[in-house]
Amino acid sequence: MDTHCQNRAMTPPLRFPRPLRPGDRIGVTAPSAGVAGAAVARIEFCVDWLRSRGYDVVVGECLVGDGLTSAPAEQRAAELTRMLADPDIACVLPPWGGETAIDLVDLLDWDALADAEPTWLVGYSDLSTVLVPITTRLGWATLHGDNLADTPYAVPDGLLHWLDVAGGPGPFVQRDSAQVATWVRFEEDPHATGWRHVGEGRWEVEGGGDLDVTGRLIGGCVETIGHLAGTPYGDVRSWAEELDEPTIVYVEACEDHAVDICRFLHGMRLAGWFDRAAAVLVGRTNAPDHPDLTQREGVLDALGRLGLPIVWDLEIGHVPPHLPLVNGALARVVVDGDDRRITQTLG
């Protein structure tokens, strides 16, 4: 299914899905982990929440399951392909991430997707494993934002909901929310719509000073996209070279300790992920330090030698709230005193 796509130009021009509107159909499928236990009530609530806002939500067969994945890889790949290629589905949204979405990237029907109109694919965590190749191989913009389980949460001042980003023409301006939050456990309240605030955060430039850079966004969860580096499904170097524009690479760590994150980032560096980068954005993390290496030191060990500006502690990962970013969007990042903002243009 993939040979034709491998033999032609890797990166067609960037294409942006049409704006998502109430009345449009959203497909829900689990390309990685399925839904079981207390999470069932949460996902049912989230589906109803979207329907109450006017969206036509269809739920696939690859959703419920208490194993490592929702279904065998071939079945998950077929359902994801079908939803993305279906002209009646405007957006595809997973319940959450998981562990092994990498097992389906070479099973997607890339030829069928290349012939289809672009569809919004939204999510983060293990879904980064699919977002990156959809953008770099097909040229489709993809949205690194809340998964379905997080979608009903209210957005703090400064940030936008992913529905706002997928639903408008832009440009989209978001600012440092200065908030650090956590989730409400499904067992405690499956209908939660407000983050539980636990602290404050602030974007800052490594070494101090100001920053004003522009580039095309690409990135995701280090533990998942790191395994794509050097493969046809994570060839950011070729994508950036064909675009012939600067990039802004964003990364975030979920749970691996600092040495593993350091290794992943070195691998991405060696595979050319940062060759065209104008800056690197790093999401705040609760991932553990190593006794001899902090998370920050791990990033600097891998990327400090590049001499690129690094911006720390953005809301782009496993520490909520979430700042939705569009892979392929033209982004301007400004950090200048109290002016800390990112502007995304879809086009």
Side-chain angles (χ1 to χ4, degrees), residues 75-135:
Q75 186 179 349
R76 286 180 283 122
E79 182 162 281
L80 181 57
T81 298
R82 177 180 61 77
M83 285 189 173
L84 288 173
D86 186 341
D88 293 328
I89 293 179
C91 174
V92 178
L93 182 66
W96 40 60
E99 304 294 340
T100 59
I102 197 169
D103 66 358
L104 59 69
V105 293
D106 59 336
L107 299 176
L108 296 173
D109 190 337
W110 291 97
D111 288 339
L113 294 177
D115 291 336
E117 289 300 311
T119 298
W120 283 114
L121 180 61
V122 183
Y124 76 104
S125 193
D126 201 24
L127 199 74
S128 297
T129 321
V130 184
L131 296 174
V132 166
I134 291 290
T135 296

Side-chain angles (χ1 to χ4, degrees), residues 17-104:
R18 66 172 178 82
L20 181 67
R21 307 292 193 201
D24 285 340
R25 181 167 294 171
I26 296 176
V28 173
T29 183
S32 189
V35 179
V40 172
R42 175 63 180 178
I43 295 307
E44 289 176 348
F45 168 73
C46 295
V47 168
D48 289 342
W49 187 92
L50 282 170
R51 286 173 175 160
S52 73
R53 280 148 182 80
Y55 298 97
D56 176 17
V57 182
V58 294
V59 177
E61 296 180 0
C62 301
L63 186 66
V64 176
D66 58 3
L68 187 65
T69 61
S70 64
E74 292 81 3
Q75 186 179 349
R76 286 180 283 122
E79 182 162 281
L80 181 57
T81 298
R82 177 180 61 77
M83 285 189 173
L84 288 173
D86 186 341
D88 293 328
I89 293 179
C91 174
V92 178
L93 182 66
W96 40 60
E99 304 294 340
T100 59
I102 197 169
D103 66 358
L104 59 69

Side-chain angles (χ1 to χ4, degrees), residues 243-267:
L243 289 176
D244 195 25
E245 295 181 75
T247 61
I248 294 176
V249 181
Y250 63 93
V251 293
E252 60 96 6
C254 172
E255 61 186 6
D256 284 5
H257 67 63
V259 169
D260 283 339
I261 297 301
C262 180
R263 290 192 190 108
F264 282 129
L265 290 172
H266 273 295

Side-chain angles (χ1 to χ4, degrees), residues 5 12 34 40 50 76 79 98 147 164 168 176 191 206 279 282 296 303 314-315 320:
C5 194
V40 172
L50 282 170
R76 286 180 283 122
E79 182 162 281
N147 297 312
D164 296 325
D176 186 352
H191 301 160
E206 170 62 25
V282 181
R296 236 179 232 214
L303 306 183
L314 279 78
E315 304 94 325

Side-chain angles (χ1 to χ4, degrees), residues 41-50 52-53 146-157 161 163 179 181-186 188-197 320-322:
R42 175 63 180 178
I43 295 307
E44 289 176 348
F45 168 73
C46 295
V47 168
D48 289 342
W49 187 92
L50 282 170
S52 73
R53 280 148 182 80
D146 289 308
N147 297 312
L148 175 60
D150 305 325
T151 289
Y153 279 111
V155 177
D157 290 344
H161 197 284
L163 285 168
Q179 296 189 25
T182 190
W183 292 265
V184 177
R185 291 174 56 82
F186 300 154
E188 181 181 348
D189 182 5
H191 301 160
T193 57
W195 298 110
R196 181 166 288 159
H197 300 294
H322 296 139

Side-chain angles (χ1 to χ4, degrees), residues 165-301:
V165 176
F172 302 101
V173 181
Q174 298 181 85
R175 300 180 185 277
D176 186 352
S177 73
Q179 296 189 25
V180 180
T182 190
W183 292 265
V184 177
R185 291 174 56 82
F186 300 154
E187 295 86 351
E188 181 181 348
D189 182 5
H191 301 160
T193 57
W195 298 110
R196 181 166 288 159
H197 300 294
V198 296
E200 296 182 355
R202 181 183 177 91
W203 307 0
E204 59 177 334
V205 179
E206 170 62 25
D210 302 330
L211 177 74
D212 188 340
V213 295
T214 300
R216 294 283 174 182
L217 287 166
I218 193 72
C221 177
V222 173
E223 291 99 319
T224 70
I225 60 177
H227 292 288
L228 298 176
T231 78
Y233 304 96
D235 191 358
V236 169
R237 171 187 281 162
S238 295
W239 177 75
E241 287 178 350
E242 187 160 346
L243 289 176
D244 195 25
E245 295 181 75
T247 61
I248 294 176
V249 181
Y250 63 93
V251 293
E252 60 96 6
C254 172
E255 61 186 6
D256 284 5
H257 67 63
V259 169
D260 283 339
I261 297 301
C262 180
R263 290 192 190 108
F264 282 129
L265 290 172
H266 273 295
M268 293 165 64
R269 175 181 62 80
L270 294 170
W273 267 65
F274 307 96
D275 286 3
R276 293 292 184 104
V280 179
L281 312 181
V282 181
R284 59 176 63 115
T285 184
N286 289 325
D289 296 331
H290 183 274
D292 297 317
L293 192 76
T294 67
Q295 287 284 335
R296 236 179 232 214
E297 289 169 344
V299 174
L300 291 173
D301 184 86

